[in-house]
Amino acid sequence: MEMYQELLKETEKNGSAALITTLGESLEKNVFRKEEASEIIQNAVEEAKMEGEPRLVEAGDKKYFVESFCREERLIILGGGHVGLALAEFAARTGFQVCVVDDRPSFANTVRFPWAAEVLCEGFASAIEKLQINEYDYITILTRGHRHDGDCLRALYKEKKSAYLGMIGSRRRVKQLKEQLHEEENISQEWLDFIHSPIGLSIGAVSPEEIAIAILAEIIQVKRTEQRTDKVMSSDVDMRVMERLANPDEKRKEQGKAVVTIIETKGSTPRKSGAKMIVYEDGTIEGTIGGGCAEAGISQTARQIIQKGGYLIQHIDMTGAVAEDEGMVCGGVMKVLIEKA
């Protein structure tokens, strides 16, 4: 638990961190420290970060499982109206840490936004300054008016560039605002061109909920498909599982548990390398490696590991006759690490 807490602190402090699991006669875990690591481990960490996938490397008689993590991705919703309300729920369900900002108390409160990790009731410019925007943030401007949109853009221009920035509004209104900011306030045209507007994928959305789905779909598209120099942001790691390992629920604290991590995949699999789940001794699961029969079988093995200790690397075959017998809808192969936590 302390090691996972250290990992999360390191991730929050530096934006990213890596975990090294040594697979020898026994299993040992350490948060990566560059000055203490061999060249092989340093290279593996860099590859894991750049590719967004963990690495299994060998050195001598030992294997090292190298995982890279980044700060939990925030979705910052500037404007607490109907679209923002729907977007907050859908985004929280898909793994974003949601932050909502509005200057109206009736729109910016935790009763209205139970899905949000943070709700700020204050002016947009001052809230943006407090939030300390970084490259792991996704930002949507959904305010109630042109003046507030301008306040948001002026404040955001002073911050670090985010992973995504989208703004709702008519093409005419957005065009006028961009021209004003560029010509009168010298805001970079390149930065203004980075803004996704019209916001969201073009799916003919009409209702607030449909518009929220279109926006979230575009954000996920950016997260998963845009070329980056640092792909760890688009990996299949669920940071909520890492948070649970670092800070277990009170009723689970004393229970034995095992952690299952996908090391690598080939072909069509429901989850990709890096995905994790926790299996408790009573059979309860948090997180997922894809569900179905394969996950049920792995859970049984994990409970055996809880009893006898140690770790096991196991292959799950979802191809051909195996998949047909089990009724699986995928057709790939997964290699997973099952370890007592």
Side-chain angles (χ1 to χ4, degrees):
M1 186 171 69
E2 290 179 0
M3 188 277 305
Y4 285 112
Q5 289 173 348
E6 181 186 351
L7 176 70
L8 291 186
K9 284 180 182 177
E10 188 79 10
T11 303
E12 188 59 34
K13 178 183 175 183
N14 299 316
S16 63
L19 180 64
I20 313 300
T21 303
T22 305
L23 305 172
E25 291 184 6
S26 60
L27 184 145
E28 181 184 340
K29 286 182 178 289
N30 293 286
V31 175
F32 170 69
R33 306 288 180 204
K34 187 173 182 178
E35 62 277 8
E36 300 171 4
S38 66
E39 187 177 349
I40 290 175
I41 298 300
Q42 290 183 36
N43 291 339
V45 168
E46 190 61 28
E47 288 174 5
K49 184 177 180 180
M50 298 295 286
E51 297 301 322
E53 296 181 349
R55 286 287 181 267
L56 187 63
V57 296
E58 294 188 28
D61 60 346
K62 291 183 179 179
K63 292 182 179 180
Y64 299 92
F65 183 47
V66 178
E67 301 173 89
S68 186
F69 302 90
C70 71
R71 185 183 291 134
E72 188 172 26
E73 295 151 326
R74 286 189 301 184
L75 175 60
I76 298 170
I77 302 172
L78 301 172
H82 298 303
V83 174
L85 182 63
L87 181 59
E89 178 178 351
F90 301 156
R93 287 183 177 274
T94 50
F96 288 94
Q97 183 185 64
V98 175
C99 174
V100 179
V101 178
D102 202 294
D103 57 354
R104 300 166 291 178
S106 59
F107 283 80
N109 59 77
T110 54
V111 174
R112 179 171 171 80
F113 287 97
W115 295 94
E118 186 176 14
V119 180
L120 298 179
C121 183
E122 60 181 283
F124 293 107
S126 61
I128 288 167
E129 186 177 356
K130 280 184 181 178
L131 287 169
Q132 297 184 322
I133 306 301
N134 61 69
E135 64 271 29
Y136 301 103
D137 290 329
Y138 297 75
I139 304 170
T140 57
I141 301 176
L142 309 174
T143 77
R144 62 189 182 278
H146 180 86
R147 178 170 63 86
H148 299 292
D149 292 346
D151 291 342
C152 291
L153 291 177
R154 291 182 189 94
L156 288 168
Y157 186 58
K158 298 174 185 176
E159 303 293 323
K160 288 183 180 178
K161 189 176 180 181
S162 58
Y164 170 93
L165 174 58
M167 183 169 68
I168 204 166
S170 68
R171 292 178 188 273
R172 180 181 61 83
R173 192 186 83 173
V174 171
K175 183 173 182 290
Q176 288 175 343
L177 179 57
K178 284 184 174 182
E179 287 175 352
Q180 176 193 337
L181 293 172
H182 177 59
E183 295 170 7
E184 299 178 15
E185 303 184 37
N186 295 317
I187 289 182
S188 161
Q189 188 62 52
E190 182 183 359
W191 186 85
L192 291 168
D193 290 341
F194 170 68
I195 301 167
H196 291 257
S197 189
I199 194 172
L201 297 185
S202 179
I203 60 173
V206 176
S207 70
E209 291 76 16
E210 290 174 347
I211 295 169
I213 288 170
I215 293 170
L216 185 58
E218 183 174 67
I219 290 170
I220 292 171
Q221 183 182 62
V222 169
K223 175 181 174 179
R224 295 296 186 188
T225 65
E226 285 201 356
Q227 293 299 311
R228 305 177 186 278
T229 56
D230 179 350
K231 288 190 178 179
V232 68
M233 287 177 65
S234 60
S235 73
D236 211 4
V237 175
D238 185 343
M239 291 304 290
R240 290 172 296 184
V241 174
M242 303 305 295
E243 177 65 36
R244 186 61 74 192
L245 287 167
N247 302 294
D249 189 278
E250 203 60 43
K251 64 182 179 182
R252 302 269 180 220
K253 234 174 199 178
E254 304 306 320
Q255 260 203 68
K257 57 182 174 289
V259 180
V260 182
T261 308
I262 300 178
I263 297 175
E264 62 182 47
T265 65
K266 291 181 181 178
S268 173
T269 57
R271 296 293 302 272
K272 299 302 179 183
S273 52
K276 287 181 184 287
M277 73 176 183
I278 306 168
V279 180
Y280 295 94
E281 60 185 343
D282 65 359
T284 305
I285 291 173
E286 290 190 270
T288 179
I289 59 166
C293 301
E295 190 169 283
I298 288 292
S299 298
Q300 291 179 4
T301 305
R303 292 173 74 183
Q304 294 170 9
I305 292 289
I306 294 170
Q307 297 301 318
K308 68 180 184 180
Y311 69 93
L312 178 69
I313 293 177
Q314 187 166 326
H315 287 78
I316 305 171
D317 191 338
M318 293 176 281
T319 60
V322 176
E324 188 176 336
D325 290 345
E326 295 291 342
M328 296 179 185
V329 295
C330 299
V333 176
M334 293 196 299
K335 182 191 290 185
V336 300
L337 169 65
I338 310 167
E339 55 181 294
K340 184 173 181 178

